Amino acid sequence: QVQLVESGGGLVQAGGSLRLSCAASGAFSNYRMGWFRQAPGKEREFVGTINRSGGTTYYADSVKGRFTISRDNAKNTVYLQMNNLKLEDTAVYFCAATGQAWGLRVELYDYWGQGTQVTVSS
């Protein structure tokens, strides 16, 4: 079991950067972590994932080269560094945890945070 709380969202100008954090309680290091986002009227979509040790990451094509996921298991925290933000990045961002070996889909994740709003302005 793990509880997740996202933070770091806010308003940022297009081209700017933002760093999201997801603080976890429980057996954090036992879980692969994912970041997802959901814009109004759209389904929740995959952003990226990082394995339990932090040695492997995978990103959606829409954010590849701009976003970076990292984790610090000693601090029970996973991060999403977002650079060169675009208007279409505006969404509620969620972190999630799964015991699965791989996790590119929403349905594979067992635990979710409440989300943090990221708004990119022109």
Side-chain angles (χ1 to χ4, degrees):
Q1 297 183 20
V2 62
Q3 295 79 46
L4 308 171
V5 180
E6 303 94 337
S7 63
L11 178 65
V12 63
Q13 190 174 354
S17 298
L18 204 61
R19 188 195 195 204
L20 305 183
S21 298
C22 176
S25 61
F28 176 71
S29 62
N30 289 343
Y31 295 92
R32 166 179 288 275
M33 301 298 297
W35 284 97
F36 294 79
R37 65 188 183 185
Q38 188 167 19
K42 295 185 177 181
E43 294 185 358
R44 194 166 299 185
E45 68 172 348
F46 171 77
V47 173
T49 186
I50 187 167
N51 74 336
R52 296 191 300 174
S53 68
T56 303
T57 56
Y58 188 86
Y59 303 93
D61 288 342
S62 59
V63 305
K64 192 175 299 181
R66 300 188 298 120
F67 290 11
T68 302
I69 299 173
S70 61
R71 69 189 294 165
D72 187 339
N73 286 349
K75 294 183 172 65
N76 279 15
T77 303
V78 63
Y79 305 95
L80 180 65
Q81 178 67 48
M82 304 183 293
N83 298 326
N84 191 25
L85 283 160
K86 303 176 179 179
L87 293 178
E88 54 264 39
D89 294 320
T90 295
V92 176
Y93 283 73
F94 300 88
C95 65
T98 178
Q100 302 293 321
W102 194 238
L104 273 62
R105 298 187 297 276
V106 168
E107 61 266 28
L108 296 177
Y109 287 80
D110 303 305
Y111 305 99
W112 294 85
Q114 294 300 305
T116 185
Q117 177 71 48
V118 173
T119 303
V120 183
S121 63
S122 62

